[in-house]
Amino acid sequence: MGSLLINIVIGIVLLLVRCCSSSNELKIGYYEKTCPSAEAIVKNTVRKAYENNDTGIAPALIRLHFHDCFVRGCDASVLLDSTPGNPAEKDSPSNFGVQGFDLIDEAKSKIESQCPNKVSCADILAFAARDAVFIAGGKNYRVPAGRRDGTISSSTDPPKNLPGSFFNITQLRSNFANKGLSITEMVTLTGAHSIGDSHCSAFSKRLYSFNSSSNSSSQDPSIDSTYADFLKSKCPNLRFVSSSGTDPIVPFDPTTPIKLDNNYYKNLKMNKGLLFSDQILWTSDLTRKMVKNYADNQNNFWANKFAAAMVHMGSIEVLTGNQGEIRKNCRVVN
């Protein structure tokens, strides 16, 4: 009887080790044997879209990966469609304007035709973000893989996890720290705003009603006056935005809007950060030196740090081993 009990205990221990082993961590070349063409398929899909004049695909994919990793970890939960009675992350107001879903679907379909049920949507998204960084002018870097796909997606999660465009430095630091990212990585990753656009509604308050205790035409004093005039020419007063239903978009970096470079930090030094959460990186003593360092050094200095930070971000709360699943369709659970 005693030996039987010992065998049962040993069996349970082995099961736990199998379930929770550290060998389930992400690794480079994860699909070398099971689907060696996976990364090439993703890269070619991204390149094809970019060459077809869809230059917006690069910032879209980087943002999509960020929005995925900050909510429930990098588990492709942002890709899931809403179901009756359960609105998904992608339909949250916090994900307004997020794009890139069709490209991930295309890459997934091509991969499934060659390697059925082998490559997760979460890994495809991480590969696509890497390829977007490179094609927009950033560094090429190796992506550790082995992520599994989550099965839960709720529209109530993004507002509680994603940083807001009017976050102050304390809120930003806390938000990134909650995801295991340092304040340096926060400043580094925010450099993704070197490319892409923002809707006027994300920053118009800086132009027309920044100080609620003042009159309705108050302007954020941290914004360059000439730049503010330019933005006002693109963005009507919020009162008219809400009444007309229009919400124009403006590039984060008006000088090199489709090139991923350190020009973002140079803009901050000139008080030309688009979002309040951008400009605060320069006005805050906590991060000002980091911004200056990235702005004053060669672009490669920031680009290398950005690549490393992207890899670290891609490991946030990942599902591995027997956790989650490998979705057949990125939009629905199996």
Side-chain angles (χ1 to χ4, degrees):
M1 193 72 171
S3 61
L4 177 62
L5 181 60
I6 290 173
N7 287 336
I8 291 174
V9 171
I10 291 174
I12 292 172
V13 170
L14 289 175
L15 182 62
L16 288 172
V17 169
R18 203 175 296 123
C19 250
C20 313
S21 171
S22 60
S23 65
N24 288 332
E25 294 178 358
L26 308 181
K27 64 179 183 179
I28 299 291
Y30 184 84
Y31 296 108
E32 282 180 356
K33 293 182 179 180
T34 58
C35 191
S37 60
E39 293 194 49
I41 289 173
V42 176
K43 183 176 294 184
N44 289 335
T45 305
V46 174
R47 183 186 296 115
K48 177 184 172 184
Y50 197 84
E51 289 175 350
N52 286 339
N53 293 321
D54 186 4
T55 54
I57 196 62
L61 291 171
I62 297 170
R63 184 185 183 196
L64 189 60
H65 185 42
F66 176 87
H67 280 229
D68 180 46
C69 290
F70 265 56
V71 182
R72 292 187 172 275
C74 310
D75 67 344
S77 55
V78 73
L79 304 179
L80 287 170
D81 284 342
S82 296
T83 56
N86 179 37
E89 289 173 31
K90 63 170 60 172
D91 291 324
S92 167
S94 298
N95 278 323
F96 174 60
V98 173
Q99 302 173 24
F101 301 105
D102 290 343
L103 185 140
I104 300 300
D105 289 339
E106 182 182 348
K108 175 65 170 175
S109 177
K110 291 176 180 176
I111 289 173
E112 282 295 303
S113 68
Q114 293 192 23
C115 320
N117 201 34
K118 291 290 190 294
V119 183
S120 70
C121 299
D123 278 341
I124 291 173
L125 184 48
F127 294 149
R130 181 265 314 275
D131 298 331
V133 168
F134 180 64
I135 208 165
K139 290 289 182 180
N140 197 11
Y141 56 91
R142 304 189 74 186
V143 173
R147 300 166 188 79
R148 304 267 291 182
D149 298 324
T151 57
I152 300 172
S153 184
S154 171
S155 63
T156 61
D157 287 336
K160 296 180 289 187
N161 289 277
L162 294 171
S165 62
F166 278 91
F167 269 18
N168 60 35
I169 199 65
T170 302
Q171 292 170 310
L172 286 172
R173 185 181 189 180
S174 175
N175 179 262
F176 277 72
N178 287 340
K179 306 303 174 183
L181 298 171
S182 69
I183 191 169
T184 301
E185 289 173 316
M186 177 190 82
V187 175
T188 305
L189 288 169
T190 309
H193 285 177
S194 164
I195 54 176
D197 307 296
S198 173
H199 285 274
C200 290
S201 58
F203 59 86
S204 287
K205 182 181 176 182
R206 299 184 70 200
L207 307 175
Y208 302 106
S209 55
F210 183 71
N211 188 345
S212 58
S213 65
S214 181
N215 59 60
S216 60
S217 62
S218 62
Q219 182 174 295
D220 182 354
S222 72
I223 190 170
D224 175 79
S225 58
T226 302
Y227 184 51
D229 289 340
F230 164 76
L231 293 177
K232 286 178 180 178
S233 72
K234 303 294 182 181
C235 302
N237 194 314
L238 276 175
R239 291 175 299 172
F240 303 110
V241 169
S242 59
S243 62
S244 66
T246 60
D247 194 358
I249 57 173
V250 176
F252 278 105
D253 176 8
T255 52
T256 56
I258 62 172
K259 184 180 180 182
L260 190 65
D261 55 23
N262 67 334
N263 210 51
Y264 166 79
Y265 302 98
K266 296 176 182 178
N267 289 337
L268 298 186
K269 285 182 64 177
M270 296 185 289
N271 295 319
K272 294 181 179 181
L274 187 60
L275 306 182
F276 177 82
S277 58
D278 289 321
Q279 195 58 50
I280 199 69
L281 299 181
W282 177 249
T283 57
S284 170
D285 291 338
L286 278 175
T287 50
R288 187 185 184 98
K289 186 176 179 179
M290 300 177 209
V291 171
K292 187 176 187 303
N293 205 17
Y294 284 147
D296 294 349
N297 276 287
Q298 293 293 321
N299 182 63
N300 279 348
F301 178 73
W302 167 75
N304 287 324
K305 299 283 188 181
F306 183 75
M310 285 289 286
V311 171
H312 190 197
M313 186 189 77
S315 69
I316 296 175
E317 299 171 26
V318 293
L319 302 176
T320 58
N322 294 323
Q323 300 171 315
E325 64 181 16
I326 304 294
R327 283 186 224 141
K328 298 176 182 177
N329 180 332
C330 292
R331 292 177 179 264
V332 296
V333 297
N334 292 341

